[in-house]
Amino acid sequence: MHDPHQLLQQIFGFPGFRPGQEEIVQAVLAGRNTLAIMPTGGGKSLCFQLPALCREGITVVISPLIALMRDQVRALKAAGVEAGALTSGNTDQETEDVFAAIDDGRLKLLYMAPERLASGGAMGLLRRANVTMIAVDEAHCVSQWGHDFRPDYLRIGELRRALNVPLAAFTATADEETRAEIVTRLFDGTQPETFLRGFDRPNIHLAFAVKDKPRDQILRFAAARKGQSGIVYTASRARTEVLAQALREAGHSACHYHGGMEAEERRRVEIRFQQEDGLIVVATIAFGMGIDKPDIRWVAHADLPKSIEGYYQEIGRAGRDGAAAETLTLYGPDDIRLRRTQIDEGAAPPDRKAADHGRLNALLGLAEATACRRQVLLGYFGETSTPCGNCDLCDRPVEVFDATESVRKALSAILRTGEWFGAGHLIDILTGNATAKVREKGHDQLPTFAVGRDLTKPAWGAVFRQMMGRDLVRPDPDRFGALRMTEAARPILRGEASISLRRDTITSAIPRVAVKTLVSDEDAPLLSALKAKRRALAEAQGVPAYVVFPDRTLIEMAERKPATLDDMAGVTGVGAKKLESYGAAFLAVINGAAESLHPARQRLAGRPSGPIYDRLAEVQLTLLRGEDGTGKPLSLSPGILRRIAEARPSTLSDLDRVGELGPAKIERFGTAFLDVLRDA
């Protein structure tokens, strides 16, 4: 079994594990059934990829998205790993290549969509292949009431039993209920070793804003971040096209994406987003799940997401490289009404509808928060934190007021009108606006008429929005969206509880730009040149730019300015295979023409054996004709020098065995070589 620390550096180019990764890797490596809940961008894939390389046999990876599988296979191959995918998107040649790699015993990771498990051929193939582990990505898809349920995930438990191998399940979002369902369906109810690695993504700036000309709000947000890759999520297909056109007219590179597009057109957008720097995609929530793009700098929601899990997953597509990223979520009363109605008119049983309303309440609680948003978000997932300093409410605290009397007045107006009217009519009653409808219904004669003149009409709009957000009132789909009181409001109405609300939060201010520049002004031209080289190499190979190197690696190159391949090997994300493939090309951008190294020496780049090899080569050159310079020329091949540098023998007999030198070369080089090795 290989050493995971060594492979982490050699293959992936990482100097060490991220927090929480090593314990999971060791559990999976030991063959224990494992469930790991890790934040998006926390390095989930490494936790099954690295053990797969250390273990004998094939690791089967069940993943729900073809684009994501192809992405990971491409990245693994670029790092020198034998990986393949069996998907409906394969060409015949790709499928034949995967079968050949299985037959030859070369394949280490085999990616499959869950739907493929339905075919008897797939089960037969996996029985014949040397499968020693199953990894399940996006394990929350097994939850029948979750937002991403995939029926074929229910077959994975059967596969585990049939192959009798350990299973490691991974997900970024799973509440307690979903975790229990994962254990039941994937592990037959037997508790796996579970790792809950936290949900915090401290590099992501959180911000919400009440809708006020949302198109202009999105355009202002994008304008302040021009040139950065971003995603705008909308609730409807039509809005994706309108907003994308508006962004293009404002000078941005932007396109739209939704489920109603032809498959080939959607694929073109995905490829553009993967390969172009600074492209904005305006999309429905169908977009992004299959794209492992590490350098998305911002995510904006033009409409309220469906749930707090959906929100968390969608903003999680930003800043996967660990660098600063930003979010903005717009919402308003219409969003709340839409989401409530979608739940009430759905086909789920009553208990599930109640749970969905609870999830929506959690999201609205985050939207209407009066203090640090990250504390509210993490609290939903059962975690506590101190104020984060990286959200809009930490940047600019909101003003709150005792709204108990205002809420009681609003509830009274709702009840006295029979719970048959929406916020607009109720506000007219409260502010004493005797419209034709108010007079026609006789509502100008109610005791509540004009009792709310202390607040403006927009301020009352904010009160009603927050009452909906706190689930004190709900739109009734059977009464054309009229507001009705919930049980949660009764203590306030009876004077048994008080409530504080935010002052009207509609503002033209857009959250500050948290991601100003990725490097200093001095290093910016070099970073641009490195990105241009990356783009050229990626286009030549037909792969996404980040498969060559992610932004984080180029930023480190621009800041450290490595002068040699040894220096380059120390840059995060530069493994042995990528050093061989791209090292010289990027060194040439940084320093001009790069030194040419023999392949044997290049394999030692960045390792302690490298300088030893160099010193042995110098000694060999000095003693080429002996100490007096008159002897017969003798030399060793670069491959033998590499073996000696790696093995570091300490005696002449060991040196002879490692390098197969023979008497003449031992006499010429032996003592001098041992001196070099001793000094090292």
Side-chain angles (χ1 to χ4, degrees):
M1 193 175 285
H2 299 284
D3 177 11
H5 293 88
Q6 192 176 6
L7 292 185
L8 183 69
Q9 170 64 50
Q10 287 180 2
I11 293 176
F12 297 99
F14 298 145
F17 288 102
R18 294 190 199 179
Q21 281 184 321
E22 187 169 7
E23 300 90 333
I24 299 170
V25 166
Q26 293 296 348
V28 176
L29 197 51
R32 298 195 287 273
N33 285 333
T34 306
L35 170 61
I37 295 96
M38 303 172 71
T40 301
K44 282 190 287 127
S45 56
L46 185 87
C47 291
F48 59 80
Q49 290 172 351
L50 190 59
L53 302 183
C54 295
R55 294 169 61 95
E56 295 298 319
I58 293 173
T59 292
V60 173
V61 183
I62 308 297
S63 180
L65 297 144
I66 290 175
L68 184 59
M69 287 190 275
R70 295 176 76 91
D71 232 25
Q72 292 201 6
V73 167
R74 260 195 304 243
L76 286 165
K77 285 183 173 178
V81 175
E82 285 279 2
L86 291 176
T87 76
S88 58
N90 278 26
T91 63
D92 289 344
Q93 185 60 52
E94 285 173 332
T95 300
E96 285 179 25
D97 290 344
V98 172
F99 287 151
I102 293 172
D103 292 340
D104 295 345
R106 290 182 284 111
L107 200 72
K108 296 302 297 178
L109 286 126
L110 174 62
Y111 285 76
M112 297 177 71
E115 288 75 14
R116 202 172 184 97
L117 299 179
S119 75
M123 191 66 82
L125 169 72
L126 296 178
R127 284 181 188 276
R128 291 192 305 274
N130 183 25
V131 174
T132 57
M133 186 173 77
I134 300 168
V136 181
D137 204 4
E138 310 293 351
H140 62 276
C141 293
V142 79
S143 173
Q144 293 193 73
W145 294 108
H147 57 293
D148 287 325
F149 175 56
R150 297 285 285 262
D152 287 292
Y153 261 64
L154 301 177
R155 300 177 184 274
I156 297 173
E158 178 190 342
L159 175 68
R160 182 183 65 81
R161 291 189 294 273
L163 298 179
N164 194 27
V165 296
L167 184 146
F170 298 85
T171 179
T173 172
D175 57 21
E176 199 168 331
E177 182 183 26
T178 304
R179 290 202 293 273
E181 207 165 345
I182 291 171
V183 170
T184 299
R185 302 199 179 279
L186 297 186
F187 300 99
D188 296 330
T190 303
Q191 189 64 40
E193 189 158 347
T194 302
F195 298 89
L196 187 56
R197 281 295 169 245
F199 292 87
D200 194 12
R201 296 285 304 285
N203 61 310
I204 298 180
H205 184 271
L206 307 177
F208 281 69
V210 177
K211 285 185 177 179
D212 179 30
K213 300 179 181 174
R215 178 177 169 278
D216 292 345
Q217 288 171 290
I218 294 293
L219 288 175
R220 286 202 306 277
F221 188 79
R225 294 147 185 85
K226 195 157 189 177
Q228 297 175 3
S229 293
I231 303 175
V232 181
Y233 286 108
T234 73
S236 72
R237 295 174 177 182
R239 295 236 307 145
T240 67
E241 299 181 19
V242 171
L243 256 179
Q245 180 62 31
L247 284 162
R248 283 194 296 271
E249 290 171 358
H252 298 276
S253 179
C255 54
H256 68 273
Y257 182 105
H258 58 70
M261 296 163 60
E262 294 294 328
E264 184 54 38
E265 194 180 357
R266 288 203 308 271
R267 185 73 189 133
R268 275 200 299 272
V269 173
E270 290 170 3
I271 291 171
R272 278 190 68 191
F273 192 59
Q274 287 170 328
Q275 298 184 357
E276 285 185 32
D277 285 329
L279 182 69
I280 300 170
V281 175
V282 186
T284 56
I285 59 170
F287 179 74
M289 284 289 290
I291 293 180
D292 195 18
K293 185 177 171 69
D295 54 355
I296 299 168
R297 294 272 63 88
W298 58 268
V299 169
H301 284 88
D303 300 297
L304 187 73
K306 288 187 174 180
S307 67
I308 204 161
E309 289 91 351
Y311 167 79
Y312 176 79
Q313 198 166 61
E314 286 146 27
I315 65 166
R317 286 161 197 160
R320 293 173 70 106
D321 55 5
E326 297 175 280
T327 67
L328 171 65
T329 302
L330 302 180
Y331 70 105
D334 289 344
D335 294 279
I336 301 172
R337 276 191 285 271
L338 171 67
R339 296 306 184 202
R340 292 282 186 216
T341 302
Q342 285 175 331
I343 295 170
D344 287 332
E345 294 184 349
D351 60 334
R352 179 53 53 176
K353 287 184 178 181
D356 287 342
H357 277 299
R359 287 193 170 95
L360 179 57
N361 288 346
L363 178 61
L364 294 169
L366 179 63
E368 299 289 8
T370 56
C372 176
R373 292 197 195 278
R374 189 166 261 98
Q375 288 182 308
V376 177
L377 178 62
L378 295 179
Y380 175 79
F381 291 111
E383 295 181 24
T384 57
S385 75
T386 55
C388 71
N390 197 30
C391 73
D392 56 339
L393 297 182
C394 284
D395 298 341
R396 193 175 55 248
V398 296
E399 184 184 349
V400 297
F401 71 104
D402 183 346
T404 308
E405 277 307 307
S406 298
V407 169
R408 291 180 71 188
K409 290 174 184 177
L411 293 171
S412 177
I414 289 170
L415 294 174
R416 287 179 184 278
T417 54
E419 298 182 309
W420 271 104
F421 297 91
H425 183 74
L426 295 167
I427 291 170
D428 284 335
I429 295 170
L430 289 163
T431 56
N433 183 18
T435 64
K437 183 177 177 182
V438 168
R439 292 195 305 273
E440 177 195 335
K441 301 292 182 184
H443 292 163
D444 54 341
Q445 304 302 313
L446 291 174
T448 47
F449 184 75
V451 297
R453 281 182 169 155
D454 55 321
L455 295 181
T456 64
K457 191 170 183 176
W460 271 114
V463 168
F464 275 99
R465 187 196 68 246
Q466 291 177 80
M467 287 172 66
M468 283 196 283
R470 300 285 188 93
D471 205 18
L472 304 178
V473 295
R474 284 187 190 176
D476 187 340
D478 295 331
R479 298 188 178 197
F480 311 103
L483 294 178
R484 59 178 172 80
M485 188 176 76
T486 68
E487 285 300 311
R490 292 198 183 278
I492 299 172
L493 184 66
R494 291 194 295 254
E496 297 166 2
S498 61
I499 186 170
S500 294
L501 297 179
R502 296 150 53 119
R503 291 280 177 204
D504 191 2
T505 48
I506 293 180
T507 171
S508 60
I510 285 296
R512 64 177 175 82
V513 180
V515 186
K516 294 185 176 64
T517 56
L518 299 175
V519 295
S520 67
D521 291 345
E522 178 188 343
D523 294 331
L526 176 55
L527 180 60
S528 294
L530 291 169
K531 283 188 171 184
K533 170 57 71 176
R534 176 181 67 176
R535 187 162 55 249
L537 290 168
E539 286 174 359
Q541 297 171 54
V543 299
Y546 53 83
V547 168
V548 177
F549 287 125
D551 273 6
R552 184 179 57 179
T553 299
L554 297 191
I555 290 165
E556 195 172 324
M557 285 184 196
E559 291 174 340
R560 289 176 53 172
K561 302 177 182 63
T564 66
L565 283 174
D566 280 339
D567 295 340
M568 180 68 83
V571 174
T572 303
V574 183
K577 175 68 174 176
K578 290 194 175 183
L579 185 71
E580 178 186 336
S581 301
Y582 310 122
F586 283 90
L587 273 181
V589 173
I590 299 166
N591 306 305
E595 62 173 323
S596 179
L597 286 185
H598 189 280
R601 172 61 178 88
Q602 189 166 296
R603 288 181 64 180
L604 303 180
R607 292 161 61 184
S609 311
I612 299 173
Y613 176 104
D614 294 339
R615 187 73 189 104
L616 293 173
E618 289 171 14
V619 169
Q620 174 183 254
L621 190 59
T622 303
L623 298 176
L624 183 66
R625 288 185 173 274
E627 289 187 10
D628 59 5
T630 61
K632 175 186 174 184
L634 292 176
S635 65
L636 306 177
S637 72
I640 291 174
L641 288 180
R642 179 178 66 81
R643 289 212 305 271
I644 294 170
E646 289 181 315
R648 302 190 199 184
S650 57
T651 65
L652 288 175
S653 60
D654 287 345
L655 177 63
D656 189 23
R657 180 178 50 79
V658 170
E660 301 176 357
L661 272 64
K665 291 179 181 176
I666 281 288
E667 184 179 350
R668 176 77 59 87
F669 304 118
T671 303
F673 276 11
L674 288 180
D675 287 343
V676 170
L677 294 166
R678 199 173 297 115
D679 291 344

